[in-house]
Amino acid sequence: MLTHTTARRPLGAWKSVLRHARQQRPTPVSLLRTMTTQTTPDTPSAVEPPPPPMPAATPKPSPPKPYLHSLKPQRPNTPTRSTFAVYPRVPSSRALTPAPLESYHAQQVRRLDRKGLRTRLFSKANPDAAKPGDVLQVTTKRGEPFAGVCLSIRRAGVDTAILLRNTMTKIGVEMWYKIYSPNILGIEIVWRRPKRARRARLMYMRQPKHDMGNVDHLVSEWRRTRNVFSSKGKAGKGKDASATGAKGRR
Amino acid sequence: MIQLKTMLNCIDNSGAAVVECALIVGQKRHATIGDRFVAIVQKQRGASDAGMGAASAANKVKRGDIRHAIVVRTKKKVQRPDGSVVRFDDNACVLINKSGDPIGTRVNGVVGAELRRRKWSKILSMAPTHA
């Protein structure tokens, strides 16, 4: 419904127009298709993770040379020790070695998200990123894909997780997913909230007054539009085409 | 997090609507999805909308009955081995008999997928969806 209105009045929604223009820029085909985070089908055993940054590899600073500081003798006829060595301050090792926890998180993210697509999908710098209030669909290795409105994004390095809420058989179901989990095949934006949510955590959407209810109609509509663009000849098939589109994701 | 005196919705067609937890089977403090507990039927299904006589003919359990039950949904978050977490909006259960077979013949509503791990696949196959 939203897509139709924007198509009719393109100036009515500047945000989506700009987003569309951004996506029209020459980008790789994989990025152009949609904002998805599909993992490559490479086997994890075949590729070795990049070696962790070695903190010992940094050149060890040679011990600083002392210089001799001499005092002017106050009583020249009584011999005193008037010269001693002064050692300069040793540079802090904090500046030289990377923070171990941050580098470890970065290494794990690099290992689990080789193309950086999931990082990009949830990065704050990306204007097209998924935000709280959007409807996302998470496809896992086993079971059906779970779609729901994103209530919050918990940013914690490689443990970054999203909270999705949907209503199934009139019962609210909430799922936390780790976005870098290897069990997750892809995260897709099904529907964007027309206006940015003014909260980071949309826990009020649990209340019946604000609850979105079931998002299946948004998902089915999104599937239909996606099929129109991806397969020209099979668009007329309707139910059958949407079913294969749901399953036959590459 | 089901404990003594917790009231749960019963989502099968055994005839119970609301049950109360009386005891958790096994040395457990709280019951979670897939755990077995002793339930007291507090409210019968159809007692309010249909007459008591009409409802009791189809209902297999009556108010005050003591049965065993399996937790199928909890408000408390349940973590899965892969790190994902599931949480439902209510606490719900399914009544079973002493040998572990469900008393009802159908389950209305979503149940947690933890039941498969806890070897309650009979309940899982009766449910319309699982999350």
Side-chain angles (χ1 to χ4, degrees):
Chain A
M1 194 194 294
L2 186 81
T3 50
H4 290 308
T5 45
T6 51
R8 256 188 280 118
R9 330 180 10 242
L11 295 185
W14 279 107
K15 205 184 217 174
S16 57
V17 169
L18 290 174
R19 176 173 291 137
H20 189 67
R22 267 201 301 275
Q23 287 175 353
Q24 290 300 308
R25 262 188 269 153
T27 46
V29 181
S30 60
L31 277 180
L32 186 67
R33 213 178 92 243
T34 172
M35 282 287 299
T36 59
T37 62
Q38 285 159 357
T39 48
T40 49
D42 55 356
T43 51
S45 59
V47 279
E48 276 293 306
M54 296 290 287
T58 53
K60 206 163 187 188
S62 55
K65 279 185 184 159
Y67 70 93
L68 294 178
H69 182 80
S70 58
L71 294 176
K72 218 182 273 177
Q74 291 192 340
R75 282 176 290 183
N77 41 6
T78 46
T80 53
R81 186 177 175 183
S82 61
T83 304
F84 55 92
V86 175
Y87 294 91
R89 176 177 286 221
V90 178
S92 163
S93 65
R94 178 174 287 184
L96 297 173
T97 54
L101 197 59
E102 271 90 13
S103 63
Y104 178 70
H105 272 281
Q107 180 225 336
Q108 291 295 312
V109 167
R110 254 183 280 125
R111 186 173 71 86
L112 293 167
D113 184 26
R114 297 203 158 265
K115 290 186 178 169
L117 289 176
R118 293 193 190 177
T119 311
R120 205 179 119 72
L121 185 64
F122 291 99
S123 84
K124 284 181 177 170
N126 180 11
D128 291 338
K131 296 200 169 54
D134 294 348
V135 173
L136 306 182
Q137 190 190 42
V138 172
T139 313
T140 48
K141 267 188 188 162
R142 48 176 303 175
E144 291 184 359
F146 185 86
V149 55
C150 179
L151 295 192
S152 80
I153 301 169
R154 186 192 279 161
R155 289 190 171 86
V158 75
D159 294 325
T160 299
I162 52 174
L163 174 60
L164 303 183
R165 179 188 170 86
N166 194 3
T167 308
M168 298 162 93
T169 63
K170 296 175 187 171
I171 298 293
V173 182
E174 290 178 12
M175 292 285 298
W176 275 105
Y177 284 107
K178 306 274 181 199
I179 66 166
Y180 295 115
S181 165
N183 286 335
I184 290 178
L185 300 177
I187 306 171
E188 286 147 303
I189 300 178
V190 171
W191 178 82
R192 284 183 191 276
R193 191 181 162 114
K195 279 182 87 172
R196 177 182 68 89
R198 296 176 71 166
R199 303 277 179 280
R201 317 248 181 267
L202 309 179
M203 296 308 170
Y204 63 85
M205 291 185 82
R206 286 176 180 165
Q207 299 168 13
K209 183 184 168 190
H210 299 282
D211 200 348
M212 260 185 100
N214 198 323
V215 299
D216 280 356
H217 62 286
L218 296 171
V219 175
S220 59
E221 188 186 338
W222 167 72
R223 265 188 203 149
R224 233 180 302 127
T225 56
R226 196 175 60 162
N227 277 352
V228 164
F229 291 129
S230 63
S231 54
K232 287 167 201 162
K234 298 170 199 162
K237 280 197 177 176
K239 258 186 192 174
D240 190 32
S242 70
T244 52
K247 289 275 177 192
R249 295 174 61 254
R250 285 153 309 276
Chain B
M1 225 165 164
I2 312 300
Q3 56 184 356
L4 184 69
K5 291 280 176 186
T6 304
M7 303 288 263
L8 299 96
N9 295 328
C10 185
I11 58 165
D12 55 9
N13 63 348
S14 62
V18 176
V19 304
E20 181 190 305
C21 174
L23 179 80
I24 294 159
V25 178
Q27 299 287 319
K28 282 176 188 297
R29 196 167 293 219
H30 311 289
T32 181
I33 297 180
D35 283 344
R36 188 170 177 162
F37 67 97
V38 178
I40 302 166
V41 179
Q42 296 285 16
K43 211 184 257 181
Q44 246 172 288
R45 195 171 293 281
S48 55
D49 48 10
M52 275 298 256
S56 57
N59 289 353
K60 291 181 184 157
V61 297
K62 290 203 297 290
R63 190 174 156 271
D65 276 8
I66 298 173
R67 301 290 175 131
H68 280 213
I70 300 296
V71 182
V72 295
R73 291 199 295 250
T74 53
K75 276 203 83 161
K76 181 74 184 167
K77 293 181 227 171
V78 178
Q79 187 156 20
R80 304 232 162 115
D82 67 343
S84 63
V85 174
V86 65
R87 173 193 175 278
F88 297 94
D89 274 2
D90 70 339
N91 295 317
C93 69
V94 169
L95 295 190
I96 57 169
N97 59 19
K98 286 276 164 67
S99 59
D101 298 320
I103 292 175
T105 52
R106 55 177 65 213
V107 172
N108 309 311
V110 58
V111 300
E114 276 75 14
L115 293 176
R116 187 182 306 282
R117 219 170 358 109
R118 310 295 300 271
K119 306 277 183 352
W120 295 110
S121 39
K122 203 173 273 181
I123 297 172
L124 205 59
S125 62
M126 281 158 67
T129 50
H130 55 88

